[in-house]
Amino acid sequence: MSHSTLLVIGSGPRPMQSYLLEQTAAHYPLLLINDTPATWQKPYVIDHEVADLSDPIAVNAAAASLAVRRPIAGVVTWDEYYLMTVARVAQSLGGRPGNTLAAVAAARDKATSRQRFAAAGVPSAASTWVHTLDAAASAAERVDYPVVLKPAAHAGGIGVVRVGTLTDLPTAWSIASAGAAHQGPEGDGVLVEEYLDGPEVSVETVTHRGVTSAVAVTRKSVGFDPYFMETAHSVTADDPLLYEVSPVAAAALEAVGITHGVSHVEIRLTKDGPRVIEINARLGGDLIGELVRLATGISLPLASAALACGEIPDLRPTRQRSAAIGMIYPPTAGLVTHRDLLPGNDHHLEHFQWLCDVGDVATLTPSSTTPNNIRCGFAVVSGDSAHDTQQHLDEVLGRVVVEVTSEAQRAA
């Protein structure tokens, strides 16, 4: 075990993020600041403090208390909303490794990111920052439909909606502005953006002293138009697409000033080439870090920890495989009456997790405050190739049963 003690801010929800603590705790003594007392996190941390994670002063005080009891070598978070907090805490602890506040703010505020991309010549989407429906209508007319509305400083797809025509704009504005009302303090308002048509991918990167290495490319599936709900992700070692998109991802990070850490850069593969959707200066969600480990053997949580502690991360691949995650969604809105995974071949099944219980109310309408609230569960599989892995995933998902009684059925 390393002697460097790492401070983690925000553990995140157990189903999607427990692997982050588990992998990191195997090599680093961990301290945790969370908004609730430690429960499932206890096996992975040696000490913790409870603080309101939305209050930078409270978090700084908690970090100072932990620093009295344990020497802290670095600070990290896997949560988009605490990136600025981590940058402040790293500074308050005597300048621990990390990005500057200005760089993190530019990454968090998508309006600023777009400006930086344009100035640096990074291919991205035409974008206008607005605060009213009338301004959105004018911007959409200039860009031309279809357009995308997106809160400037949110995450998890909250408030992001595709708009096909002017007639659709008022409803879409209500969705985007509702999301914007709950977004992070690093940005405000809504972006009206050019719709980028083409397959979506993300590039998982590691930046050390300003030099970015692209570790993996994640191929994505999205659905639930006009929303952009992610339905599946897949990672394959040595995916040839990585060499096409990695220069664009590195340029995007450089444009906003990211010089440190693990990042998740979202890109659309358009007819004119790769174009950046947005950057996230932290590890990707939806167990993407676990997919990378299963496919390549590289642990992005450990890379993130090493960088935070001023160490050189180990990015040597030890596997040549493929891995994928498939999301389970309800067939309709209503009350969940039954759920099951029927018997079958579980040899390639790495993880299976329900996110709903019998008696829960299922919805097909994304929340303006809670990311991915409509999911019922997920399955993670691995295989020797992308084709094999997709077959394994289809087989597992084909055995999933979610029964929902709709409101109309209940009323009858």
Side-chain angles (χ1 to χ4, degrees):
M1 177 180 283
S2 167
H3 294 294
S4 299
T5 300
L6 179 69
L7 171 60
V8 177
I9 297 182
S11 66
R14 185 176 189 176
M16 283 291 186
Q17 295 194 317
S18 61
Y19 83 97
L20 299 165
L21 279 180
E22 181 180 4
Q23 290 184 27
T24 309
H27 295 267
Y28 293 85
L30 299 185
L31 307 174
L32 174 66
I33 301 175
N34 217 26
D35 48 12
T36 56
T39 54
W40 62 267
Q41 303 95 336
K42 285 183 177 180
Y44 308 119
V45 301
I46 59 173
D47 200 354
H48 80 283
E49 287 277 339
V50 177
D52 180 354
L53 296 180
S54 65
D55 182 347
I57 295 176
V59 175
N60 266 337
S65 294
L66 287 169
V68 169
R69 304 197 292 267
R70 309 272 183 176
I72 297 174
V75 191
V76 72
T77 188
W78 303 298
D79 192 303
E80 179 76 15
Y81 301 107
Y82 308 140
L83 290 171
M84 291 290 289
T85 300
V86 163
R88 294 189 184 100
V89 170
Q91 286 187 357
S92 72
L93 292 175
R96 297 297 183 266
N99 290 300
T100 66
L101 282 168
V104 176
R108 284 283 297 121
D109 181 11
K110 297 175 180 63
T112 302
S113 294
R114 288 281 188 239
Q115 294 168 1
R116 300 282 182 89
F117 297 157
V122 177
S124 123
S127 178
T128 303
W129 181 42
V130 301
H131 292 78
T132 67
L133 174 57
D134 287 344
S138 297
E141 185 177 355
R142 290 193 301 272
V143 173
D144 197 11
Y145 292 94
V147 297
V148 175
L149 300 188
K150 177 188 298 184
H154 230 320
I158 291 177
V160 182
V161 59
R162 183 178 182 269
V163 190
T165 67
L166 177 60
T167 304
D168 302 325
L169 186 61
T171 299
W173 176 257
S174 297
I175 294 167
S177 57
H182 301 282
Q183 64 187 333
E186 293 79 30
D188 62 279
V190 172
L191 301 183
V192 179
E193 300 198 330
E194 170 191 12
Y195 172 68
L196 301 179
D197 194 14
E200 182 174 341
V201 303
S202 63
V203 188
E204 319 314 328
T205 67
V206 176
T207 304
H208 180 235
R209 295 182 177 176
V211 178
T212 294
S213 301
V215 173
V217 61
T218 304
R219 296 180 184 247
K220 300 173 176 288
S221 298
V222 297
F224 295 89
D225 186 67
Y227 307 105
F228 295 86
M229 302 300 293
E230 294 174 334
T231 58
H233 307 281
S234 64
V235 174
T236 301
D238 286 337
D239 188 325
L241 186 59
L242 181 62
Y243 305 100
E244 178 183 353
V245 296
S246 58
V248 178
L253 293 169
E254 183 178 7
V256 299
I258 296 298
T259 60
H260 169 96
V262 173
S263 297
H264 171 75
V265 183
E266 298 177 353
I267 288 175
R268 281 269 178 155
L269 306 177
T270 74
K271 60 181 178 59
D272 298 318
R275 296 173 70 181
V276 177
I277 299 174
E278 65 183 51
I279 62 171
N280 302 277
R282 42 82 184 168
L283 205 149
D286 285 356
L287 274 83
I288 285 175
E290 179 66 349
L291 300 185
V292 171
R293 185 189 69 82
L294 290 169
T296 70
I298 298 170
S299 172
L300 290 178
L302 281 184
S304 181
L307 289 167
C309 294
E311 301 165 2
I312 299 175
D314 184 357
L315 303 182
R316 294 171 296 180
T318 58
R319 297 180 186 174
Q320 293 287 318
R321 304 197 77 225
S322 179
I325 182 170
M327 310 304 173
I328 300 165
Y329 290 95
T332 187
L335 191 71
V336 177
T337 56
H338 179 69
R339 64 174 203 186
D340 197 10
L341 176 63
L342 301 178
N345 180 11
D346 289 341
H347 178 67
H348 300 281
L349 181 60
E350 301 284 350
H351 307 283
F352 185 89
Q353 178 70 53
W354 289 110
L355 300 175
C356 70
D357 291 310
V358 171
D360 286 352
V361 176
T363 177
L364 295 178
T365 303
S367 167
S368 62
T369 58
T370 306
N372 307 316
N373 64 297
I374 69 176
R375 291 175 179 170
C376 287
F378 62 84
V380 176
V381 301
S382 63
D384 294 329
S385 68
H387 179 265
D388 290 346
T389 300
Q390 187 60 53
Q391 286 190 320
H392 300 326
L393 184 60
D394 291 342
E395 190 276 334
V396 172
L397 295 180
R399 295 190 277 121
V400 172
V401 177
V402 178
E403 295 179 359
V404 175
T405 301
S406 68
E407 294 293 336
Q409 290 172 310
R410 292 168 65 188

